């Protein structure tokens, strides 16, 4: 198995959003965070030989990270077609030979074709709900994960532990692992005051049995 640092290096070529949307909270997942999440998932046996679905894949960072660790196939679901065009370009940059299916669709209402019968892992960095009126934006992503996955890994704003644990318990799931991670964000919107900011996040592994 390649090291986490090696995976991070492979993901360093992944391009972000050309015209990020504030409403969709299109912030690129940093390579180090993606490598950390995928590496942990791989160590738990949740990647190799499985179907991996990246909900709200954006330009493909988590999907491509998983594709480099030997899954049977990867599905990247994204509402924004322009982001998926970049994801396809990123696939060529990364050079993975794993079958990747890029699908335009809403992660909150995933197409029926994304309910595989084989062992499935969801990886996702859902919206944090930071914009006005967007509180709870990560809830439908978790609901979709519960409907299709045996296990999921998701990145949330710091302080989400009680919510995620309660949601999992109410939907046939259990949080088995949790760890903190720093989300480094470069300035990309006019309302950002600093050139770079650090956002404290929490990553949760959930086993779904319901």
């Amino acid at each position: 198995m390649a090291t986490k640092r090696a995976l991070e290096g492979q993901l360093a070529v992944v391009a972000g959003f050309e015209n990020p949307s504030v409403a969709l909270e299109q912030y690129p997942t940093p390579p180090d965070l993606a490598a950390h999440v995928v590496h942990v998932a791989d160590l738990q046996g949740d990647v190799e030989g499985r179907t991996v679905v990246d909900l709200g894949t954006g330009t493909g960072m988590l999907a491509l990270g998983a594709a480099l660790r030997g899954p049977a196939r990867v599905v990247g679901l994204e509402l924004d077609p322009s982001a998926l065009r970049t994801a396809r370009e990123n696939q060529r940059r990364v050079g993975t030979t794993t079958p990747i299916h890029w699908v335009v669709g809403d992660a909150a209402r995933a197409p029926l074709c994304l309910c595989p019968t084989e062992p499935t892992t969801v990886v996702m960095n859902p919206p944090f709900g930071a914009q006005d009126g967007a509180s709870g934006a990560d809830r439908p992503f978790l609901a979709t994960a519960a409907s299709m996955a045996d296990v999921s890994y998701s990145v949330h704003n710091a302080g989400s532990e009680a919510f995620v644990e309660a949601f999992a318990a109410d939907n046939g799931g259990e949080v088995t692992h949790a760890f903190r991670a720093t989300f480094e964000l470069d300035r990309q919107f006019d309302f950002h005051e600093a050139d770079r900011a650090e956002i404290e996040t929490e990553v949760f592994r959930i086993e779904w049995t319901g």
Side-chain angles (χ1 to χ4, degrees):
M1 179 188 299
T3 66
K4 181 176 69 174
R5 180 169 294 182
L7 181 58
E8 180 182 342
Q10 290 175 288
L11 294 176
V13 301
V14 174
F17 299 95
E18 289 188 11
N19 297 293
S21 165
V22 176
L24 295 177
E25 292 192 37
Q26 289 182 328
Y27 299 105
T29 304
D32 60 337
L33 177 56
H36 193 173
V37 172
V38 171
H39 186 69
V40 170
D42 199 12
L43 289 174
Q44 294 298 316
D46 295 329
V47 176
E48 186 173 1
R50 297 171 65 91
T51 292
V52 178
V53 180
D54 181 3
L55 298 177
T57 190
T59 63
M61 183 68 81
L62 284 168
L64 291 167
L68 291 166
R69 288 299 181 90
R73 65 170 179 151
V74 173
V75 179
L77 179 66
E78 172 57 43
L79 187 62
D80 180 4
S82 65
L84 281 187
R85 286 194 292 271
T86 302
R88 291 187 183 95
E89 294 170 2
N90 285 331
Q91 181 179 356
R92 289 192 289 271
R93 291 187 182 99
V94 169
T96 176
T97 58
T98 295
I100 304 179
H101 310 279
W102 304 109
V103 180
V104 177
D106 188 348
R109 291 179 290 276
L112 291 178
C113 63
L114 290 188
C115 295
T117 56
E118 62 269 21
T120 301
T121 298
V122 162
V123 293
M124 57 183 177
N125 180 13
F128 290 169
Q131 305 305 313
D132 291 342
S135 178
D138 49 357
R139 180 182 293 271
F141 282 71
L142 286 170
T144 299
S147 72
M148 69 169 58
D150 307 294
V151 61
S152 68
Y153 292 79
S154 52
V155 183
H156 301 264
N157 213 355
S160 298
E161 183 175 4
F163 156 68
V164 173
E165 288 185 342
F167 185 94
D170 290 342
N171 290 273
E174 179 184 5
V175 174
T176 62
H177 298 71
F179 57 88
R180 295 183 179 274
T182 300
F183 195 124
E184 293 190 356
L185 178 66
D186 291 329
R187 186 180 190 273
Q188 60 180 9
F189 296 119
D190 291 340
F191 61 83
H192 288 162
E193 298 179 355
D195 290 336
R196 175 178 284 263
E198 291 187 352
I199 301 174
E200 295 301 319
T201 67
E202 295 170 343
V203 182
F204 300 94
R205 178 186 186 271
I206 304 174
E207 291 184 356
W208 302 99
T209 58

